[in-house]
Structures are given as structure tokens and as C-alpha cells.
Amino acid sequence: MIKFELIRKPLSDAPLYLLAAKKTNWLQAGLSKKEADYITAKIKDNESFIVINQLNRLGCIQITDEANKKKSAYERAEHLRNSGHKLCVIINAHKYNSVVLHDLLDNATDVLAVAEGCALSNYQFLKYKSKKEKNTLSHIKIDSRKVTQKNLDTLNSLTDAVYKARDMVNEPQSYLNAVTFAAEMKAMGKKSGLKVEVLSKKQIESLKMGGLLAVNKGSQTPPTFTILEWKPKKHSNKKPLVLVGKGVVYDTGGLSLKPTPNSMDTMKCDMAGGAAVAAGMYAIAKAQLPYHVIGLVPATDNRPGENAYTPGDVIHMYDGQTVEVLNTDAEGRMLLADALAYAKKYKPELVLDFATLTGAAAAAIGPYGIVCMGTAEEKQKQQLKLAGNHVYERLVEFPFWDEYAKLIKSDLADMKNIGGPIAGAITAGKFLEKFTDYNWMHFDIAGPAYTSSADSYRGKNATGVGVRLLFEFVSNLCRY
């Protein structure tokens, strides 16, 4: 983990990152005339990220004038996070263990964005490497009159949470099955102060969670249903915010085996929604946010073995509704539906579910945002979109017209679990809607949850998407 530290004087031998403007007096900033002339020449060539190799240290200069040209504050912040990513790459390439971020502009928002991008870029998953080539960067020191220790404590909690989400998603199913996943969440609860309860298969059976149990029928590992709760004494909300995360630790497609070549290679990431919920709540608890939040994570793997559920089966769900199964690869919605129905017992103010649910969502917008839809109030939707923009996990709201519900009508049961070849992401959402009677939003993170190539500070493989969005949303609710 990266350690953050506030300082008031740059260390003479540490790499230095200057956050500055074009008109900065470089001599007053401690640079030589030769270095100042070099920087001025680079600025004239329209370069905004400039590296100078001094005798006793490395220097990086970020000219923020380019960031000022961005259309919005959130685009500016993203520009600076990406600058933090560049810095992280350079620091590790030169084998330094620390860097000083010197804020010449007295702009806490900007320097914290750089620190965030740098810290998130430093993540590595080396558990299974016999030769571990670890990044050398371990400390980010910030010299700014505007940044507070509370800012750094919050950034530390959030970075830690994103790392934990990435770790869980990157873990292979050979380690992270449903039982181990629940144990990981228990450990996170002990570390952060979250209350965590794990329901066993016997308890799940007694609750008659037919969707979760159906998906689990092909597995030799029992399912789990994990309930996380953060309820500080002075919470500001009367009704809880409930988060639901899909916890399919591995998805073969079941008997409707995935037909696409290589499509199973990354299916360990199918619990990224559950990881986002658990890690998001971990960050909320570590930061001691005064808001009552409950998380629900139903978990299992989806396999074609044992007595696996089959196309044509009719499943009795937790709330008594029946579902005709026409595709066992549409499994995530089955266990999410039980969890969404279970959420009714809390009489929530709002329910948010996160899931790598459909290839249709990934195909529609790629890894550049999150597909969302639901029945939340317009004000709640705007608050969510604002939070998404702030952390650059942008939300794209899909239409949720009643006509789409017709596509999941069944001749045999109350509904079927797929809606046909069109609007797959939306019909999945309409299926989930059948199990709600409260304000609710569905987030399909299939596109951005796992990447095949490096993407700036999001890295390669697990991105931890959803954690920062949830933390920002709840932080804002505490301020309203």
C-alpha cells in the first residue's frame, strides 16, 4: 500500500513533482536558469508534462494550463489523475521509493487528483508470481498549504478499498470460491468496523432463495449470502441505503455453456459487483462516514456439473414469484433477484445493485462507462451521475420503458430469465425490477470491471470499478 504524508518543505534528494502554471517563476521555484529555459522551451512546444533529470533528483513538472482547457471540473481532475499515472511509471522505472508533490498553485483538488492517480497506478497483484518484481514506490509526500491530513486519510481509505476490490476480482476461482469470498468480506469487516454476517447453505435453503440455490446446483461448493452493515451511532439517514452485489465467483454458463472462444478465460471477474459493494462499504466504514448502509452479496459459482439447473426449469424465487429458465448463462439475475427481494425487509430509502450482468452492456458502451437504469427518483439519479462524473466512472442511463417488460413474459411462469436478441441489458434490468418495490438503480459494470490491456491508473485486469463511485455518492449524501 502507498503511504501518504503531509510535508511543508520538499526533500532535497527525493523526486519532485511540481504542479504549476505556464507563468510560474521557475527560479523562485528552486530551479536553475538552464532548467527554467528548458521548461520554457518545452512549454512553447505545447508540452504539459515535462521531465528534468537534475544531478541529485528527478523532476517532473505538470503545467495545468492544459487541464484548464478541459470542458468541466471532472475532466480536469481526470487529466491530472492520468498525469499521476505517468508520474508513477517514471518513479518506478527509476527505482525511487518516494516522491514529493509540490503544489505551487495552492489547489488541493488538483494535487489530490495527481496523488490519487499515482497511488492507484502503483497497484500490483503478485501473489502467484515466484519472482516478484515489486514497484519501488511506497510513499507519496504532499507539500501543499491547502491539503489537510483528513484529505490524506480519506485518500488512504479509498486507495486501500480499491486495492482490495482488485485483489478479490484478480483472485482465481481455485482460491476465491463462494465460501472464501465470504471469509474475505468477514476479514474486511474486522479491519474496518463493519458488521458482517454470512448465511450458510442451510440458512439460504430455509429462506427459500430459489434463484441462488438453482445456480448453485451444479457446484460442489455451497453458496453463501453475506450481509454487511455500517450503522454509526450518529447516522444522518432514517432509512438505510442498501447495496447489492453479484457474487458469481466463476461462470461457465452452466449447461448453456458459453459458446464464444476464450469467453471463459476471465470469468473469475463475474463477482466484481460483489467486490465493489464489499470494498465500497469497507471504505465508508474506514472513513467513518455518518450514513447507515447495508450490503448484500449472494455468491456461488455457475457450473454444468452435479444436478445443474437446466433450460426449461421453473424456479420458485425468494419472494414466491416463478421464473422459467431459458438460458442458464443468465444466472446473475437469478441470485440478484433473491437479494433484491430480501432487501425489502430493510424498508430502504434507495437500493443500488452492481453486477457484471450482460455482454450487451459491454458491447453498447465498452469500458468507458457504466450502464445504468432503474426507478430511483430523478434527484437520486442526478446525485449518482454527479458522483460518477467526479470519479470518472461515468453513468449512461438506458431507457426503461414498459414495453421492454413484454420481452420477458413467459407462457409457463411469471417471467422468463432472458428476453431475446434485442436490448439484452435492458431486459435484464426489467427482470430485476420485478423483485423491487422501492427506489432502485441497476448498474451493469460488465464493460469496465476487467480490462485486457493497461488503462492508465485503472491498470490491467481488475479495475475496482464502482468502489470510488459508491464512496463519493455516500460522501455527498452526508453533506446534503
Side-chain angles (χ1 to χ4, degrees):
M1 269 296 298
I2 289 286
K3 291 183 180 179
F4 299 95
E5 181 184 346
L6 265 183
I7 63 171
R8 293 304 179 206
K9 186 177 181 180
L11 304 181
S12 59
D13 60 346
L16 182 64
Y17 175 100
L18 299 179
L19 201 62
K22 286 182 179 179
K23 295 181 180 181
T24 296
N25 187 320
W26 304 111
L27 299 179
Q28 288 183 0
L31 302 179
S32 69
K33 186 177 186 309
K34 190 174 181 180
E35 290 167 339
D37 291 342
Y38 175 78
I39 294 168
T40 301
K42 287 293 183 181
I43 291 173
K44 287 181 179 178
D45 289 337
N46 293 318
E47 292 192 28
S48 62
F49 188 87
I50 303 163
V51 179
I52 55 173
N53 203 340
Q54 298 174 306
L55 182 62
N56 63 333
R57 69 180 176 192
L58 186 73
C60 299
I61 297 94
Q62 175 65 58
I63 306 299
T64 60
D65 299 64
E66 185 64 28
N68 289 334
K69 295 177 183 178
K70 298 299 177 182
K71 295 179 181 178
S72 62
Y74 76 85
E75 289 173 320
R76 175 190 175 91
E78 182 68 1
H79 180 85
L80 293 170
R81 288 189 200 101
N82 289 328
S83 178
H85 167 69
K86 292 178 186 178
L87 175 65
C88 181
V89 172
I90 291 172
I91 295 299
N92 283 309
H94 286 80
K95 306 297 183 184
Y96 288 109
N97 60 22
S98 67
V99 63
V100 177
L101 309 186
H102 188 39
D103 177 19
L104 295 178
L105 304 177
D106 290 335
N107 189 321
T109 300
D110 282 0
V111 74
L112 288 170
V114 174
E116 181 181 29
C118 187
L120 292 176
S121 297
N122 204 50
Y123 171 83
Q124 292 178 292
F125 186 72
L126 301 174
K127 180 178 176 179
Y128 299 100
K129 291 278 190 180
S130 53
K131 293 182 179 180
K132 304 183 192 302
E133 297 181 6
K134 292 185 178 180
N135 287 339
T136 55
L137 178 62
S138 59
H139 290 76
I140 297 176
K141 304 172 190 290
I142 298 179
D143 182 9
S144 172
R145 291 185 295 179
K146 299 296 184 180
V147 174
T148 66
Q149 187 59 48
K150 184 177 180 181
N151 292 146
L152 297 191
D153 291 343
T154 297
L155 189 54
N156 179 70
S157 296
L158 194 52
T159 303
D160 185 15
V162 173
Y163 275 32
K164 280 182 164 48
R166 291 177 179 178
D167 279 350
M168 288 187 287
V169 177
N170 281 328
E171 282 284 3
Q173 193 275 335
S174 55
Y175 169 76
L176 197 85
N177 58 30
V179 175
T180 314
F181 189 19
E184 289 283 339
M185 288 186 273
K186 272 256 186 185
M188 289 167 64
K190 287 182 180 179
K191 189 174 180 180
S192 63
L194 285 170
K195 178 183 175 183
V196 182
E197 179 185 7
V198 179
L199 303 186
S200 66
K201 183 176 182 178
K202 187 174 181 180
Q203 290 170 300
I204 294 167
E205 288 173 336
S206 68
L207 290 170
K208 298 181 180 180
M209 291 186 170
L212 176 55
L213 291 167
V215 178
N216 181 250
K217 285 178 71 177
S219 174
Q220 293 185 7
T221 305
T224 58
F225 190 94
T226 301
I227 304 168
L228 308 98
E229 185 169 19
W230 172 246
K231 191 177 183 180
K233 289 182 179 179
K234 294 184 179 180
H235 55 277
S236 58
N237 51 330
K238 294 181 180 179
K239 295 181 178 181
L241 169 68
V242 177
L243 311 175
V244 176
K246 175 184 172 183
V248 177
V249 293
Y250 189 80
D251 181 23
T252 67
L255 287 176
S256 303
L257 202 64
K258 291 182 181 292
T260 310
N262 306 318
S263 61
M264 273 189 256
D265 292 357
T266 59
M267 280 299 102
K268 65 180 183 179
C269 81
D270 215 15
M271 38 61 68
V277 165
M281 291 197 62
Y282 172 83
I284 289 165
K286 282 201 76 177
Q288 298 283 304
L289 296 186
Y291 216 77
H292 184 196
V293 189
I294 294 168
L296 307 175
V297 183
T300 180
D301 52 327
N302 182 29
R303 294 180 184 264
E306 301 293 314
N307 191 31
Y309 79 133
T310 68
D313 282 355
V314 174
I315 307 300
H316 291 263
M317 307 295 284
Y318 168 75
D319 67 353
Q321 295 189 81
T322 57
V323 175
E324 180 186 8
V325 175
L326 294 183
N327 189 323
T328 63
D329 194 23
E331 87 299 332
R333 65 200 69 182
M334 299 293 289
L335 49 96
L336 282 175
D338 279 343
L340 289 170
Y342 187 83
K344 295 176 185 178
K345 67 178 287 186
Y346 299 108
K347 295 181 172 54
E349 66 171 3
L350 176 66
V351 175
L352 311 176
D353 80 70
F354 288 78
T356 48
L357 204 63
T358 68
I365 65 170
Y368 307 114
I370 299 173
V371 167
C372 71
M373 63 200 80
T375 60
E377 297 173 1
E378 196 57 37
K379 181 181 178 181
Q380 293 170 326
K381 290 181 179 181
Q382 290 305 314
Q383 290 170 340
L384 285 161
K385 290 175 182 177
L386 182 66
N389 284 346
H390 184 84
V391 301
Y392 217 70
E393 293 181 358
R394 297 166 294 181
L395 304 181
V396 181
E397 186 177 2
F398 275 20
F400 212 48
W401 304 319
D402 291 340
E403 285 83 352
Y404 289 112
K406 297 176 182 178
L407 300 177
I408 59 170
K409 283 188 175 181
S410 167
D411 294 333
L412 193 62
D414 295 328
M415 70 198 85
K416 54 187 180 180
N417 77 329
I418 56 170
I422 64 169
I426 301 173
T427 54
K430 295 305 284 187
F431 177 90
L432 297 177
E433 183 189 21
K434 299 283 187 181
F435 299 88
T436 69
D437 64 358
Y438 39 67
N439 293 335
W440 157 77
M441 285 297 284
H442 163 58
F443 301 88
D444 194 329
I445 59 173
Y450 201 86
T451 62
S452 58
S453 58
D455 180 17
S456 186
Y457 62 88
R458 283 168 282 273
K460 184 180 179 181
N461 301 324
T463 64
V465 70
V467 177
R468 293 163 58 243
L469 167 63
L470 282 173
F471 186 84
E472 179 67 19
F473 177 63
V474 176
S475 296
N476 289 340
L477 288 177
C478 294
R479 289 191 285 265
Y480 292 146

